[in-house]
Amino acid sequence: MRIIVQKFGGTSLSTSQAKEHVIHHIKRERDNGYAVVVVVSAIGRRGDPYATDTLLEQLAPFAAYVDLKEQDMLLSCGEMISATLIGTQIRAAGMPAVVLSGAEAGIETDDDYGSAKIIAIHPERIVKALEAGQVVVVTGFQGRTKQGAITTLGRGGSDTSATALGAALQAEIVDIYTDVNGVLTADPKLVSDARPIAKVSYAEICHMAREGAKVVHPRAVEIAQQARIPVRVRSTFSEEEGTLVQDEAWQHNEHAVLDRHVTGIAYALGITQLHVSGTEQQPHDPRLIFESLAAHGISVDFINVTASHSLFTVQGEQAQLAEKLIAEQGLQVRLEAACAKVSVIGGGMNGQPGVMARIVSALSQEQIPILQSADSNAAIWVLVKEKHMAMALKCLHSTFDLNR
């Protein structure tokens, strides 16, 4: 049995016309010989009646009294509604269908309510329905504990549900349908000549997702990578195949021509840089700094530590608390607020000399100071001021010929 998993986000289910496109995609894959599993998010976005953020807002006035287990019961309602509606419409289109909650689909999680982790999937009920020729519609974003309590998987949970089910069912491919036609080389709102990317590696898409290209959740990609299941990011409103995410082996094919080492440019805003140094009374002690921040749940990035100082970044909303904690240790701390992280991403640049030189040259020509930098196997990050971020994106996009 050839299985395909199709995940449809909230905008794909928000109107009657959008739902007609969903039905078309399901019917096309059935006609292509696939057994189809459909994973759905809640309908719409913030402000729409059953969107997850809208449901959360109902509890906001009573935040001090919220029980997280009960909150997950509420948040699961959005997917229950969308799954029931789309399941009914599938049957109305002449295709047999069954709707399953995350619990009924066999998605077992831990009891970290609001951000539960999948620990096992028992797909027997799904397999039985597929063998009977039914389209199986599963509520994304949710599962159940061993004790039977409803849980939700946190942000990007429906993407995670889709790839986890794909892995458990040994699906041929997982299609993530959204309102854009795949992954672009940059944010088209800021870079007018951004173009679609036909193919990326798991590592590249994870970097892009973490750094602002919000087309698929990195946790979902990591699950697909472990199971070696290809993922496509596609538009609900198009027949185009979008962006294919698969193993990096294609990049290292000896017959391939890697004339482009950079795949895309991403960014993140709202970052504050902290420069911490010692005083005559209190020498610089990185251990005290980072242990204190960790104990208060503050995540750090762009970390540079020397004998005399520590330089790192935090999210802007955590900057005041971080400053207070460090000052309480008797250390000097200087803040640089309103910074942006610009990411140059590409598996093909690993081991290629000159990439950083081109980044520095391009930004220097636009008189954009680099406040800090870091790198990994598939990305180079630079920290700039927010006021320079848009220009940094444009000039780096052009420098690496991503508009061609």
Side-chain angles (χ1 to χ4, degrees), residues 73 93 96 148 171-172 192 299 311 325 335 399:
M73 293 173 63
E172 280 193 18
S192 59
S299 178
L311 189 63
L325 293 170
L335 271 61
T399 293

Side-chain angles (χ1 to χ4, degrees), residues 329-404:
Q329 298 174 6
L331 297 168
Q332 283 190 324
V333 55
R334 185 175 74 250
L335 271 61
E336 184 74 46
C339 296
K341 181 180 184 181
V342 175
S343 308
V344 178
I345 299 160
M349 70 185 182
N350 185 25
Q352 295 294 326
V355 177
M356 187 62 185
R358 293 174 69 182
I359 293 172
V360 172
S361 176
L363 297 180
S364 296
Q365 287 179 18
E366 298 297 335
Q367 298 183 335
I368 299 174
I370 297 175
L371 306 179
Q372 223 172 329
S373 66
D375 69 279
S376 74
N377 284 340
I380 294 175
W381 302 282
V382 292
L383 188 71
V384 301
K385 294 293 291 183
E386 282 189 359
K387 64 183 180 181
H388 296 140
M389 184 271 297
M391 180 55 70
L393 292 175
K394 292 174 184 175
C395 74
L396 291 173
H397 193 267
S398 176
T399 293
F400 291 102
D401 298 322
L402 295 180
N403 51 351
R404 298 181 182 177

